[in-house]
């Protein structure tokens, strides 16, 4: 289990019980945990974490730029997904660039379970959003 991270507020989620006590909300399922871990991986720039300087994506050098082929961005995203320890393998991967917005849809098989989970990534001027097949962010 891990703390639930809110993608919109960029903060941990808190929950309140009936007595007015506040507690840290926890992630319950492995697909939500994987979604959260991938979101943090995609939002982290290399050298941001002093304990793992290679963790994350260098968007300035590797993603943004004139005439950057979509295939190189796809390869970078696939590589980051495959680096996640919870991922056994990538089952399916589709991507598109529409009006300068990159989006991709991918399915992965988790190592600890036999389930296959689908995720959607959308990047635009507002940032990156990662959702699961249920639309939960």
């Amino acid at each position: 289990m891990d703390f639930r991270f809110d993608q919109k507020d960029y903060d941990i989620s808190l929950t309140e019980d009936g007595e007015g006590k506040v507690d840290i909300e926890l992630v319950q399922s492995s697909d939500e945990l994987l979604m959260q871990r991938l979101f943090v991986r995609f939002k982290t720039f290399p050298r941001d974490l002093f304990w793992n300087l290679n963790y994350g994506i260098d968007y300035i050098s590797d993603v943004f730029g004139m005439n950057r082929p979509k295939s190189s961005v796809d390869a970078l995203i696939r590589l980051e997904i495959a680096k996640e320890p919870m991922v056994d393998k990538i089952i399916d991967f589709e991507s598109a660039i529409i009006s300068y917005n990159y989006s991709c849809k991918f399915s992965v098989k988790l190592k600890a379970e036999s389930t296959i989970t689908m995720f959607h990534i959308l990047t635009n001027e507002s940032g990156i959003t990662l959702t699961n097949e249920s639309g939960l962010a």
Side-chain angles (χ1 to χ4, degrees):
M1 282 192 223
D2 202 357
F3 298 144
R4 181 176 302 282
F5 183 78
D6 188 343
Q7 290 186 32
K8 293 178 183 83
D9 295 335
Y10 299 115
D11 201 358
I12 58 173
S13 295
L14 301 175
T15 183
E16 187 175 337
D17 64 5
E19 300 174 5
K21 294 180 182 175
V22 177
D23 197 6
I24 296 173
E25 191 173 349
L26 299 175
V27 175
Q28 300 298 328
S29 67
S30 57
D31 62 332
E32 287 181 88
L33 179 59
L34 176 60
M35 179 176 61
Q36 185 165 287
R37 290 178 69 147
L38 287 173
F39 178 77
V40 170
R41 182 176 287 276
F42 292 138
K43 291 294 287 186
T44 303
F45 292 91
R47 298 169 305 281
D48 278 354
L49 304 176
F50 68 87
W51 61 90
N52 190 349
L53 298 175
N54 296 320
Y55 188 88
I57 297 176
D58 186 354
Y59 288 96
I60 303 295
S61 299
D62 299 335
V63 177
F64 302 132
M66 297 294 289
N67 299 322
R68 178 87 53 202
K70 183 176 80 67
S71 60
S72 67
V73 176
D74 289 346
L76 181 68
I77 297 292
R78 289 177 68 103
L79 181 64
E80 285 301 313
I81 294 167
K83 285 181 185 177
E84 181 55 49
M86 290 181 69
V87 174
D88 185 28
K89 63 181 176 177
I90 300 171
I91 304 295
D92 186 36
F93 188 91
E94 299 173 23
S95 68
I97 297 176
I98 301 170
S99 301
Y100 301 105
N101 295 324
Y102 176 85
S103 65
C104 70
K105 176 175 70 169
F106 60 94
S107 301
V108 296
K109 182 179 179 301
L110 290 118
K111 282 185 180 176
E113 299 177 13
S114 61
T115 60
I116 296 174
T117 307
M118 182 180 295
F119 296 98
H120 302 271
I121 297 174
L122 174 65
T123 60
N124 56 28
E125 66 277 356
S126 301
I128 186 169
T129 306
L130 178 65
T131 59
N132 63 8
E133 55 196 12
S134 304
L136 299 174

